[in-house]
């Protein structure tokens, strides 16, 4: 090289090092990295052996310049260990050359943080990014500030802290939009898609990825476009759309091969291997995973290694090579523990559990499943109080809870240890209505409920109190196995297991119960008969949802019917008789109380249990009152809820809100009549027409003990259409007139009963959590019980049913008994069709009201010198007056 000997003079040294640094940078730009590093090393030797060492300021400037060359050169050849080493030196010397808050220092910290991120050293990356962010905020460098936010989002995603990840990426997006950086906007959209995919919110994930693709195409960012295609493929793979996923992978690989983006190729090969795996081509999947790992090692792309090792382990397991499977997954587990990636740890523990099951090692399998669930619990803890994300996260991980419960159940089949079966029930409770339980605990200021710690698994038998007049039926299904628990007032837990072969012999050849139950029992309830009904549906059923589950439900609802002659040759349908056979008949001999409290599982929330038919043609509600609770824990919380000071006669009745400003809707004359009838019986003023505004309802809801809605309902989540505030002098949006789940969630309720006499008010997204809709929102906000409609309700039938219901209810009968008697009356008095008498389902507590104890009524009685019997001489119809008079005689 041209640098020789020891240069002693300062001017000569400065000249030589300056020229050497310039040449080294040129060599790096022309991809001659080895020459760059060699020249930088010679520059460093000269620097260390000259009088420049005596001048610390000049020495530090040149040392910083040379360090930067090493930093860039080693990054270029993927030697991230050496790059980080020089980056740390660069960071230290830059502090001595510039101020602590200089923009240059912030840029170096940012670049070094990215290297730590690529090495999966998330905590160190986080520390440096936060340092860089503080500096960039002080210097006003908005572009780099957005970059810091974006990378912090990536770090928190890898740490499993999805809520924080989303928060930081959204901050980055806000700045990118502000400064007009289209490439940055696309990157933020792509990252949001990845976050929502991790949360199980696949529709949102695809929306963001699609937005990113559009921008990348517009600006010609081919590498980013290919990355988006791979991310879209991963979403479709997650929902089982493998053909669509394969098309996206092919698009990604075509671009990545064209532009030579090797890291992108590694990701795409990993995704393609997953598609092959799901098609049963395990050997081919292994080939592509090895190919992906090879590229990852060559490029230092460690991010793809853990997922590859996990999927490699799964493929080996199906090939019967358990030793290799265990070895591969353990490699992934080791990396994830070193990096703190909780999500990967969760997957590793779960998959190791399956490997242990294949080997027949049940105890070790249980241990791994517990570890996986603990990882799930850790991921939940990062979400804080964000309910929607908790619901979505549970969808992703609930199969692990199911698997552990199933293992306990099957051990109980062969080992008559009662506690094993109770363990299975506890595990399910950890997932059943979990987010709702946390909402209710917050509302009631209740202590923390059961946790993964088995020490907290005590007393589930005592949830059903001694002296109760109901039996609890707890239902779970997994693939084709059905698990049924019975809890009773004797505080014992009984168990029945309908095995796969028994299920298939009962209902016929089906792939799994989830698909079978996704369809409602009959078509007649999905569409109102013409000519004698007003439709209280908010929107047409076919246009109600963007979620995958809801879309599947809608398609199913439109094509499924009560089993008739045309259906006999089709696949098995969930008729009322079949549903009775698989969910009620196995435990019929254990149902020895007048009421059944049912804890349903997922799609069972769509089932009208009251209408299930036994082999003699008798309905379940001929013998039993039926009530639903989301979980045993929510039931316990409601039972232990402190009594409120709310007056039983604090009533809110809402009927036929004015929807004349909203073109999609018609007025509901029968709903108005229903509301006026109920209000008259209870002696209150209803909110009707233009008075029934969203604002007025929200103001009145929090103090009402009884709330009744008779209005349009949304087919997706049961949300309710109210009147907009007048005058309406602008274009309305749904926030102006729709009572949403979010609106209800923000109100602290004291209501004992909420009646939603609206079409589809029981509807919602079917999740592992249960049904996520308006009914759940009312329970989560403090309502003790909610009466909801499973389908579109008929006007005349609903008027009669509500009349009979309140006829019993205002006389002090419980809500469950009142509904039971109303259904019975309907069947016996001209309304024999299931769609007419069985649309309503009671969720929650079996509350009663004492309308005689109203202070206003008592005061009016004393003022007028009337005895208690005089109450009947108010506004009640003659038949109701007679019933109430007989009831009141008991108190005279």
């Amino acid at each position: 090289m041209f640098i020789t000997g020891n240069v002693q003079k300062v001017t000569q040294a400065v000249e030589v090092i300056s020229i050497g640094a310039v040449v080294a940078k040129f060599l790096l730009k022309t991809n001659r990295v080895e020459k760059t590093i060699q020249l930088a090393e010679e520059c460093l030797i000269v620097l260390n052996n000259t009088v420049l060492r005596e001048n610390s300021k000049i020495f530090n400037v040149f040392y910083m310049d040379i360090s930067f060359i090493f930093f860039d050169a080693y990054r270029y050849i993927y030697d991230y260990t050496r790059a980080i080493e020089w980056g740390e030196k660069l960071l230290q010397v830059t502090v001595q050359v510039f101020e602590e808050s200089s923009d240059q220092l912030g840029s170096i910290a940012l670049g070094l943080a990215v290297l730590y991120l690529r090495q999966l050293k998330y905590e160190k990356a986080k520390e440096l990014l936060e340092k860089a962010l503080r500096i960039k905020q002080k210097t006003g460098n908005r572009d780099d500030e957005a970059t810091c936010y974006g990378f912090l989002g990536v770090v928190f995603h890898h740490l499993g802290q999805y809520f924080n990840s989303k928060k930081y990426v959204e901050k980055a997006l806000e700045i990118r939009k502000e400064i007009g950086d289209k490439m940055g906007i696309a990157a933020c959209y792509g990252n949001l898609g990845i976050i929502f995919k991790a949360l199980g919110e696949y529709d949102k994930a695809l929306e963001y990825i699609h937005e990113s693709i559009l921008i990348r195409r517009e600006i010609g960012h081919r590498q980013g476009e290919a990355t988006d295609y791979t991310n879209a493929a991963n979403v479709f793979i997650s929902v089982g759309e493998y053909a669509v996923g394969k098309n996206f992978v092919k698009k990604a690989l075509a671009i990545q091969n064209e532009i030579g983006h090797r890291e992108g190729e590694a990701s795409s090969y990993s995704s393609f291997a997953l598609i092959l795996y799901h098609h049963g081509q395990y050997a081919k999947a292994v080939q592509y995973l090895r190919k992906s790992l090879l590229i990852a090692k060559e490029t230092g792309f460690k991010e793809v290694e853990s997922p590859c090792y996990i999927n490699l382990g799964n493929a080996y397991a199906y090939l019967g090579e358990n030793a290799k499977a265990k070895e591969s997954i353990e490699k992934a587990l080791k990396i994830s523990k070193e990096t703190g990636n909780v999500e990967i740890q969760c997957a590793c523990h779960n998959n190791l559990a399956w490997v242990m099951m294949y080997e027949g090692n049940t105890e070790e399998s249980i241990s791994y499943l517990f570890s996986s669930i603990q990882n799930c619990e850790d991921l939940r803890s990062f979400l804080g109080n964000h309910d929607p994300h908790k619901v979505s996260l549970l969808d992703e991980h609930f199969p692990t809870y199911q698997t552990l419960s199933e293992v306990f159940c099957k051990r109980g089949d062969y080992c008559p240890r009662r506690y094993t079966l109770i363990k299975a029930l506890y595990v399910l409770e950890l997932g059943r209505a979990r987010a709702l339980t946390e909402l209710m605990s917050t509302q009631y200021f209740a202590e923390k409920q059961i946790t993964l710690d088995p020490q907290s698994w005590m007393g589930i038998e005592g949830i059903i109190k001694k002296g109760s007049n109901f039996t609890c039926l707890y239902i779970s299904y997994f693939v084709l196995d059905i698990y049924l628990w019975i809890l009773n007032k004797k505080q014992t837990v009984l168990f029945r297991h309908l095995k796969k072969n028994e299920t298939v012999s009962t209902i016929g050849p089906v792939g799994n119960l989830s698909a079978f139950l996704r369809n409602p029992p009959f078509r007649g309830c999905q569409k109102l008969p013409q000519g004698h009904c007003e439709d209280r549906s908010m929107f047409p059923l076919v246009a109600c949802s963007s979620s995958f589950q809801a879309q599947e439900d809608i398609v199913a609802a439109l094509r499924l019917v009560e089993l008739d002659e045309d259906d006999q040759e089709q696949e098995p349908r969930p008729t009322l008789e079949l549903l009775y056979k698989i969910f009620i008949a196995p435990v019929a001999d254990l149902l020895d109380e007048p009421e059944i409290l049912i804890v349903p599982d997922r799609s069972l929330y769509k089932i009208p249990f009251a209408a299930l038919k036994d082999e003699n043609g008798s309905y379940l509600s001929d013998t039993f009152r039926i009530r639903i609770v989301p979980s045993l824990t929510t039931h316990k919380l409601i039972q232990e809820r402190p009594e409120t000071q709310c007056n039983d006669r604090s009533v809110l009745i809402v009927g036929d809100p004015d929807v004349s400003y909203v073109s999609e809707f018609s007025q509901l004359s029968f709903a108005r009549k229903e509301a006026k009838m109920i209000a008259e019986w209870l002696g209150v003023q209803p909110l009707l027409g233009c008075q029934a505004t969203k604002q007025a309802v929200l103001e009145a809801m929090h103090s009402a003990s009884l709330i009744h809605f008779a209005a349009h309902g949304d087919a997706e989540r049961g949300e309710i259409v109210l009147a907009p505030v007048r005058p309406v002098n602008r274009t309305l949006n749904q926030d102006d007139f729709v009572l949403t789940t979010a609106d209800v969630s923000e109100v602290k309720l004291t209501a004992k009963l909420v009646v939603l006499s609206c079409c589809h008010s029981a509807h919602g997204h079917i999740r592992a959590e249960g049904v996520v809709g308006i009914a759940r929102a009312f329970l989560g906000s403090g309502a003790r019980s909610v009466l909801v409609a499973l389908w579109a309700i008929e006007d005349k039938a609903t008027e009669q049913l509500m009349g009979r219901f309140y006829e019993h209810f205002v006389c002090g009968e419980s809500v469950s008994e009142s509904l039971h008697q109303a259904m019975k009356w309907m069947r016996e008095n001209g309304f024999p069709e299931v769609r007419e008498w069985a649309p309503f389902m009671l969720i929650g507590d079996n509350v009663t009201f004492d309308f005689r104890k109203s202070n206003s009524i008592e005061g009016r009685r004393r003022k007028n010198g009337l005895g208690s019997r005089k109450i009947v001489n108010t506004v009640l119809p003659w038949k109701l007056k007679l019933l109430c008079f007989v009831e009141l005689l008991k108190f005279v």
Side-chain angles (χ1 to χ4, degrees):
M1 296 297 291
F2 67 88
I3 300 176
T4 59
N6 293 324
V7 183
Q8 296 295 328
K9 294 182 179 179
V10 173
T11 53
Q12 289 177 317
V14 168
E15 184 178 350
V16 168
I17 296 171
S18 297
I19 293 171
V22 170
V23 174
K25 291 173 184 175
F26 172 77
L27 291 171
L28 183 59
K29 286 184 178 179
T30 54
N31 302 330
R32 288 175 281 182
V33 183
E34 287 186 16
K35 292 281 189 182
T36 300
I37 293 172
Q38 184 180 353
L39 185 53
E41 286 173 344
E42 294 198 28
C43 286
L44 187 60
I45 292 170
V46 172
L47 180 63
N48 284 325
N49 290 285
T50 65
V51 293
L52 287 177
R53 289 190 65 85
E54 298 174 6
N55 189 325
S56 61
K57 187 172 182 181
I58 297 176
F59 179 87
N60 287 338
V61 169
F62 280 113
Y63 189 76
M64 182 181 70
D65 202 26
I66 295 169
S67 296
F68 208 100
I69 293 169
F70 279 122
F71 183 56
D72 275 351
Y74 284 118
R75 280 195 297 180
Y76 191 86
I77 59 174
Y78 308 120
D79 188 347
Y80 295 129
T81 302
R82 299 291 297 276
I84 286 173
E85 178 186 329
W86 278 103
E88 289 287 1
K89 293 177 181 179
L90 178 60
L91 194 64
Q92 291 173 12
V93 72
T94 303
V95 173
Q96 298 174 36
V97 175
F98 296 102
E99 295 179 2
E100 184 71 31
S101 60
S102 67
D103 196 65
Q104 293 91 333
L105 184 64
S107 297
I108 293 166
L110 175 56
L112 186 56
V114 173
L115 289 187
Y116 276 115
L117 179 58
R118 293 182 67 85
Q119 289 292 91
L120 311 185
K121 297 180 179 179
Y122 301 123
E123 290 299 334
K124 187 64 178 177
K126 176 173 169 285
E127 176 189 330
L128 286 167
L129 285 168
E130 288 171 344
K131 179 184 181 73
L133 179 61
R134 289 192 296 270
I135 294 172
K136 295 300 180 179
Q137 287 173 331
K138 283 183 180 179
T139 61
N141 188 331
R142 298 287 279 164
D143 187 6
D144 281 355
E145 182 184 348
T147 302
C148 290
Y149 279 131
F151 278 118
L152 277 168
V154 174
V155 167
F156 280 114
H157 175 265
H158 286 297
L159 291 172
Q161 300 183 35
Y162 304 127
F163 183 69
N164 283 334
S165 177
K166 175 173 168 284
K167 178 179 71 174
Y168 280 111
V169 174
E170 286 174 341
K171 285 184 177 182
L173 179 60
E174 184 180 346
I175 297 174
R176 296 298 184 196
K177 288 181 175 179
E178 178 188 315
I179 64 179
D181 177 11
K182 286 191 174 182
M183 185 179 291
I185 292 170
C188 290
Y189 282 143
N191 286 336
L192 285 170
I194 293 170
I195 294 165
F196 279 109
K197 188 261 180 188
L199 286 167
E201 298 185 39
Y202 301 119
D203 49 351
K204 285 187 179 179
L206 287 176
E207 286 174 19
Y208 281 115
I209 294 170
H210 180 250
E211 289 296 324
S212 180
I213 290 172
L214 292 178
I215 296 172
R216 310 250 209 202
R217 284 177 178 171
E218 179 188 340
I219 64 178
H221 188 209
R222 300 279 282 160
Q223 181 177 316
E225 182 183 347
T227 299
D228 287 334
Y229 287 145
T230 303
N231 291 335
N234 291 335
V235 176
F236 282 109
I237 292 168
S238 294
V239 297
E241 295 287 346
Y242 304 120
V244 180
K246 184 177 180 180
N247 287 335
F248 275 106
V249 171
K250 285 183 175 179
K251 284 184 177 183
L253 279 170
I255 296 173
Q256 288 154 351
N257 290 332
E258 177 189 328
I259 65 177
H261 186 219
R262 303 212 69 208
E263 291 180 1
E265 288 179 43
S267 294
S268 294
Y269 287 139
S270 178
S271 299
F272 188 63
L274 200 53
I275 294 169
L276 292 170
Y277 168 83
H278 284 292
H279 282 303
Q281 300 179 46
Y282 306 119
K284 276 193 174 182
V286 168
Q287 291 175 15
Y288 276 96
L289 288 166
R290 284 176 173 168
K291 197 172 183 179
S292 178
L293 281 169
L294 180 62
I295 296 172
K297 289 184 183 298
E298 289 174 356
T299 60
F301 186 36
K302 288 193 172 185
E303 185 179 323
V304 80
E305 288 183 4
S306 291
C308 276
Y309 280 128
I310 291 173
N311 293 329
L312 197 57
N314 293 342
Y316 279 135
Y318 273 100
L319 289 169
E321 301 182 51
N322 287 344
K324 286 185 177 180
K326 187 176 180 181
E327 180 186 358
S328 295
I329 299 171
E330 284 177 341
K331 283 182 180 179
L333 182 60
K334 184 175 183 292
I335 294 170
S336 64
K337 284 184 174 179
E338 290 172 352
T339 60
N341 191 321
V342 182
E343 183 181 8
I344 296 294
Q345 290 176 47
C346 182
C348 290
H349 285 132
N350 182 67
N351 292 355
L352 282 169
W354 281 102
V355 173
M356 292 301 101
M357 275 189 255
Y358 295 148
E359 293 183 347
N361 191 336
T362 304
E363 291 302 323
E364 197 164 350
S365 175
I366 289 173
S367 177
Y368 279 124
L369 286 169
F370 265 111
S371 296
S372 182
I373 292 176
Q374 182 59 65
N375 296 141
C376 298
E377 297 295 302
D378 292 340
L379 291 171
R380 283 182 63 81
S381 69
F382 299 143
L383 295 176
N385 296 321
H386 201 280
D387 181 63
H389 291 345
K390 286 182 177 180
V391 171
S392 298
L393 186 69
L394 183 61
D395 281 348
E396 283 288 284
H397 299 286
F398 189 62
T400 306
Y401 294 80
Q402 284 183 305
T403 302
L404 181 54
S405 178
E406 185 182 35
V407 171
F408 281 136
C409 285
K410 289 188 174 178
R411 287 181 75 189
D413 284 346
Y414 303 106
C415 175
R417 285 183 292 178
R418 177 169 159 271
Y419 188 55
T420 300
L421 297 171
I422 295 177
K423 278 183 179 179
L425 187 56
Y426 270 115
V427 172
L428 286 177
E429 271 293 290
L430 283 170
R432 194 73 62 89
R434 180 70 178 278
L436 175 60
T437 297
E438 290 168 357
L439 286 175
M440 293 171 67
S441 295
T442 301
Q443 288 285 356
Y444 301 161
F445 304 102
E447 295 180 0
K448 193 170 185 179
Q449 305 304 309
I450 62 171
T451 68
L452 188 59
D453 181 4
Q455 295 298 318
S456 70
W457 296 5
M458 296 176 64
I460 202 166
E461 306 96 320
I463 287 180
I464 308 303
K465 303 296 183 184
K466 292 181 178 179
S468 300
N469 64 346
F470 61 86
T471 302
C472 178
L473 169 59
Y474 198 108
I475 306 174
S476 176
Y477 59 87
F478 189 53
V479 189
L480 283 168
D481 285 272
I482 298 173
Y483 305 97
L484 306 168
W485 286 263
I486 292 289
L487 293 84
N488 55 38
K489 65 183 181 183
K490 297 175 184 176
Q491 301 196 336
T492 57
V493 178
L494 305 171
F495 177 74
R496 297 283 165 86
H497 177 194
L498 200 67
K499 298 177 183 177
K500 174 182 176 180
N501 60 328
E502 296 173 291
T503 304
V504 172
S505 67
T506 302
I507 64 178
V510 293
N512 62 75
L513 283 166
S514 292
F516 175 72
L517 293 169
R518 196 168 291 147
N519 302 312
F522 37 83
R523 177 195 300 148
C525 299
Q526 302 303 319
K527 187 175 180 181
L528 289 170
Q530 296 181 352
H532 63 97
C533 298
E534 59 191 11
D535 190 353
R536 298 189 192 182
S537 300
M538 175 174 165
F539 295 116
L541 190 60
V542 293
C544 71
S545 177
S546 60
S547 75
F548 291 99
Q549 177 66 56
Q551 287 174 7
E552 291 172 353
D553 290 344
I554 293 161
V555 172
L558 290 174
R559 66 180 173 83
L560 198 61
V561 298
E562 282 185 285
L563 201 60
D564 55 32
E565 293 179 2
D566 295 333
D567 295 321
Q568 296 295 331
E569 297 180 0
Q570 299 180 11
E571 62 185 28
R573 307 292 191 181
T575 64
L576 300 174
E577 292 83 0
L578 275 181
L579 293 170
Y580 183 94
K581 285 181 181 179
I582 60 176
F583 293 116
I584 305 298
V587 293
D589 61 311
L590 304 176
L591 302 174
D592 53 4
E593 295 291 340
E595 183 176 43
I596 308 173
L597 183 70
I598 299 175
V599 185
D601 187 6
R602 292 165 290 166
S603 293
L604 295 183
Y605 277 91
K606 298 187 298 182
I607 302 301
F609 282 96
L612 299 192
K613 278 184 180 179
D614 66 16
E615 59 185 6
N616 298 317
S618 297
Y619 294 112
L620 188 61
S621 57
D622 285 338
T623 308
F624 301 100
R625 303 192 303 270
I626 308 296
R627 186 157 50 97
I628 304 296
V629 288
S631 69
L632 291 173
T633 314
T634 55
H635 173 72
K636 179 174 178 283
L637 279 169
I638 292 172
Q639 294 299 304
E640 295 176 353
R641 172 185 171 180
E643 288 295 328
T644 65
Q645 299 301 314
C646 189
N647 193 311
D648 275 359
R649 284 191 63 87
S650 178
V651 177
L652 171 62
I653 307 294
V654 180
D656 185 30
D658 181 8
V659 293
S660 59
Y661 288 94
V662 187
S663 59
E664 296 98 325
F665 310 123
S666 60
Q667 292 304 132
L668 302 171
S669 58
F670 280 91
R672 176 180 289 255
K673 184 179 178 183
E674 174 187 317
K676 289 175 72 174
M677 172 186 70
I678 296 165
E680 184 180 4
W681 287 359
L682 299 176
V684 298
Q685 187 66 37
L687 291 178
L688 304 172
C690 61
Q691 294 178 323
T693 64
K694 181 175 176 178
Q695 180 181 337
V697 168
L698 286 172
E699 289 175 357
M701 265 179 22
H702 76 279
S703 60
S705 184
L706 170 62
I707 301 172
H708 183 105
F709 287 96
H712 284 288
D714 171 31
E716 180 183 3
R717 296 202 296 181
E719 296 177 328
I720 301 165
V721 180
L722 299 172
V725 176
R726 295 191 179 192
V728 178
N729 50 14
R730 60 179 175 80
T731 302
L732 295 171
N733 58 53
Q734 287 195 24
D735 287 339
D736 295 315
F737 59 86
V738 176
L739 183 68
T740 65
T741 56
D743 294 325
V744 174
S745 298
E746 292 174 4
V747 181
K748 187 173 177 63
L749 298 175
T750 57
K752 291 167 67 175
L753 175 64
V754 178
V755 179
L756 302 178
S757 183
C758 315
C759 289
H760 319 293
S761 55
H763 279 206
H765 295 162
I766 305 294
R767 317 293 288 268
E769 167 82 8
V771 174
V772 180
I774 196 78
R776 176 182 180 273
F778 275 107
L779 289 170
S781 291
R784 294 186 72 100
S785 55
V786 185
L787 187 60
V788 291
L790 287 160
W791 50 74
I793 50 180
E794 299 184 16
D795 49 19
K796 188 64 176 176
T798 303
E799 178 190 3
Q800 290 296 316
L801 191 145
M802 282 295 156
R804 303 294 78 71
F805 169 76
Y806 276 100
E807 187 174 65
H808 291 274
F809 192 55
V810 298
C811 289
E813 293 185 21
S814 72
V815 61
S816 177
E817 178 64 22
S818 298
L819 180 62
H820 178 72
Q821 292 297 334
M823 287 180 174
K824 181 180 178 182
W825 185 92
M826 294 285 287
R827 290 195 297 271
E828 296 171 353
N829 289 273
F831 298 94
E833 300 295 329
V834 168
R835 69 168 182 268
E836 298 172 320
W837 64 264
F840 286 95
M841 174 174 71
L842 177 62
I843 307 174
D845 198 11
N846 188 19
V847 299
T848 58
F849 278 64
D850 190 349
F851 294 104
R852 295 179 299 277
K853 290 185 178 180
S854 165
N855 291 332
S856 59
I857 294 292
E858 291 291 339
R860 190 161 67 238
R861 248 188 271 151
R862 288 193 296 269
K863 181 178 178 181
N864 297 328
L866 298 175
S868 58
R869 279 176 287 184
K870 294 292 185 179
I871 297 175
V872 297
N873 293 321
T874 55
V875 292
L876 300 178
W878 72 269
K879 188 174 181 181
L880 183 57
K881 288 179 183 180
L882 180 59
L883 286 170
C884 288
F885 183 83
V886 172
E887 185 71 17
L888 289 170
L889 284 176
K890 301 174 184 178
F891 297 89
V892 177

